[in-house]
Structures are given as C-alpha cells and as structure tokens.
Amino acid sequence: DGIVGVKIEKPEPFELIFLDATHVLLNGITRQTTYAIFNSLGETELHNSLDPNGTIDLSTLPHGLYILRFDGNQTFKVVR
C-alpha cells in the first residue's frame, strides 16, 4: 500500500520559427497543443489549438509586444 511510482510529464522542447512577419511555425511538437497570446496588459488576445506543423497567424494583432504561452507552460516573447 502506498505510492509505487510517479511519472512526471515534461513539456516537449520546441522552437518558434517565423515564416514571415505574421506567421509562426511551432517546430518540434508531436501532438496537438493549445496556446494563448497575451498583450502587455496581460489580456488574452488569441487562444486556440495547434496541430503538429500548424502555424499561428498573428496578422490580426496590432503591432506590439506579446507573450505566447503553450499548454506545457513554455513561453516566448513575440514582437509584432
């Protein structure tokens, strides 16, 4: 009786690749992941899911500094 083992899931390491000024590719994911984009005030601008080899379209966002956070809590600063 008791805990036999614990499996800790590590977030997948991945990188952002900017295909152009408004499209970002998430390189290295092997499963669907969710993301949120926050503005400098902490307000959510976009929230969606992303398939492997999918891209994020930033064209609807005004120019500025954003935080892009993925479901594994990995975050990136993005300047549009």
Side-chain angles (χ1 to χ4, degrees):
D1 296 336
I3 297 175
V4 176
V6 175
K7 181 178 180 183
I8 299 174
E9 296 284 335
K10 290 185 180 180
E12 296 179 70
F14 45 78
E15 64 180 339
L16 293 182
I17 298 174
F18 288 84
L19 301 175
D20 56 38
T22 59
H23 292 88
V24 178
L25 172 69
L26 187 60
N27 188 33
I29 64 169
T30 57
R31 60 178 173 78
Q32 187 178 57
T33 188
T34 58
Y35 68 89
I37 299 177
F38 302 93
N39 64 22
S40 60
L41 299 175
E43 301 166 333
T44 303
E45 293 284 341
L46 293 173
H47 184 268
N48 210 339
S49 60
L50 185 67
D51 292 321
N53 299 318
T55 60
I56 300 171
D57 183 1
L58 305 175
S59 65
T60 60
L61 299 175
H63 292 278
L65 176 67
Y66 297 92
I67 301 296
L68 180 53
R69 179 179 295 153
F70 295 94
D71 62 354
N73 290 326
Q74 193 165 0
T75 60
F76 297 91
K77 289 181 186 176
V78 175
V79 177
R80 157 103 171 87

